[in-house]
Amino acid sequence: MNAAGRAPDGSAVAEAMALAVRAGAGVHGTTSPNPPVGAVVLSAAGEVVGVGATRPPGQAHAEVVALAEAGPRARGGTAVVTLEPCAHHGRTPPCALALVEAGIARVVYAHADPNPEAAGGAGALRAAGVRVEHLPTHVEPLRAWLHRARTGRPHVTWKYAASLDGRTAAQDGTSRWISSAEARAEVHALRTTADAIVVGTGTVRADDPRLTARGTGVTRQPLRVVVGTGELPPHARVLDDEAETLHVRTHDPDVVLAELARRGVVDVLLEGGPTLAGAFARAGRVDRVLAYVAPKLLGGGPPVLRDAGVSTITGAVGLVVEQVSMCGPDVRISAVPASAR
């Protein structure tokens, strides 16, 4: 309790939740197949005494990390967590039990756990006499994991850069650079949070991309995935030793995603050309569109998307725009299928 004899008020809890979201974002890309959860422990007086985030698989979950930092100051306090604490024995003991044993009096969480194996933490806490509250909050680092838990499929973000008239390259095939330096830097940061980057064999032959995250502080590389039945050039840069590369010899998005799910992939960045993007869109396997639109007109060259299975305007894939912002001189648009809402 605080000096006035009350538990931390709503503003203190909201600030703690924002801190927990940032903590989870800091480990995004390092925890798969586990979720990148953030947790904050407030003392009985409402002071932040512990902050934690999920560690790599097999290591401590966010709540346990935060409790370790808080120590005895956690007793009688509040735990603020981005995901409902787990209630099952997996590679680590249940976080709900750890919270009870630490003497936590109140737990506030942002998202219920959709995983049937781990869910039930809120009920277990209430049964132990802990006050439990649900504070719905958008937690971007959990987007892909929540999707995977609900559907069994990795989450696919289709990322592309294009001119204002929807071209990914000029008529002569040149495409460097349509987007700005700022947009390219942001994409490299995005790659560090992804588990896999997916392109087609056509992109590898035409552009010879490295498909790696580059920039200051990069410590991990996503899996490079090439889709298609054609052979790869023997000296293609995706075959170097900078990162692991998987060649999936199919054109079926569901086969690709099933193989990636088997490998523990949660978050996929689709960076292929218009044909591969069309195949994923046609199969209903684009879960988010992230577009970088450059203030340029080309008047020709390849379009962003081909053969998405749409033959008439009434068949268009409806999208809901989540966010529009500037990235250098480019417009950054994030949108999700309307059906997902």
Side-chain angles (χ1 to χ4, degrees):
M1 308 296 277
N2 60 25
R6 299 186 302 273
D9 62 20
S11 62
V13 170
E15 290 172 6
M17 183 62 79
L19 180 56
V21 172
R22 291 196 296 273
V27 297
H28 189 190
T30 68
T31 65
S32 291
N34 294 333
V37 176
V40 172
V41 174
L42 301 175
S43 69
E47 301 168 333
V48 174
V49 293
V51 180
T54 303
R55 291 181 176 168
Q59 300 183 40
H61 291 185
E63 298 93 323
V64 174
V65 176
L67 287 171
E69 184 176 297
R73 296 173 295 176
R75 186 159 298 277
T78 297
V80 180
V81 194
T82 58
L83 184 68
E84 177 187 5
C86 64
H88 78 305
H89 283 269
R91 283 176 287 194
T92 60
C95 293
L97 177 61
L99 292 165
V100 171
E101 292 179 341
I104 287 291
R106 178 188 183 200
V107 171
V108 181
Y109 67 93
H111 283 277
D113 192 334
N115 182 350
E117 292 183 0
L125 289 164
R126 289 191 181 100
V130 178
R131 177 182 168 189
V132 180
E133 300 171 25
H134 183 203
L135 179 63
T137 307
H138 176 67
V139 183
E140 179 61 30
L142 290 179
R143 179 201 294 262
W145 185 86
L146 289 168
H147 171 88
R148 165 71 188 274
R150 291 171 182 142
T151 68
R153 296 190 307 270
H155 179 276
V156 177
T157 293
W158 172 36
K159 187 281 299 178
Y160 70 83
S163 62
L164 195 57
D165 55 341
R167 304 293 176 168
T168 60
Q171 277 188 315
D172 65 357
T174 55
S175 60
R176 296 185 180 182
W177 296 103
I178 284 182
S179 60
S180 64
E182 293 90 342
R184 298 196 299 275
E186 186 170 290
V187 168
H188 280 293
L190 183 65
R191 285 178 173 181
T192 67
T193 67
D195 298 319
I197 300 175
V198 177
V199 301
T201 53
T203 293
V204 172
R205 287 193 293 266
D207 298 337
D208 192 21
R210 293 164 64 183
L211 301 183
T212 54
R214 300 184 291 281
T216 304
V218 173
T219 58
R220 64 175 293 277
Q221 294 291 349
L223 174 68
R224 300 180 292 194
V225 182
V226 182
V227 176
T229 56
E231 294 300 322
L232 302 181
H235 301 296
R237 291 195 290 183
V238 293
L239 298 178
D240 63 23
D241 58 3
E242 280 196 76
E244 182 183 357
T245 297
L246 172 67
H247 186 183
V248 185
R249 296 175 183 273
T250 182
H251 295 289
D252 186 334
D254 281 334
V255 173
V256 174
L257 294 177
E259 174 60 23
L260 295 182
R262 189 184 69 79
R263 291 170 173 262
V265 168
V266 173
D267 203 344
V268 170
L269 197 57
L270 178 64
E271 293 195 13
T275 301
L276 185 64
F280 272 76
R282 192 167 60 251
R285 295 297 179 253
V286 173
D287 304 302
R288 179 191 183 203
V289 178
L290 185 60
Y292 293 87
V293 182
K296 300 173 182 176
L297 298 175
L298 292 176
V304 165
L305 190 64
R306 284 197 182 103
D307 192 15
V310 178
S311 58
T312 180
I313 190 64
T314 57
V317 178
L319 299 174
V320 175
V321 175
E322 298 181 307
Q323 185 184 49
V324 178
S325 58
M326 299 302 296
C327 184
D330 301 330
V331 179
R332 178 185 185 273
I333 304 170
S334 177
V336 296
S339 58
R341 292 296 184 92

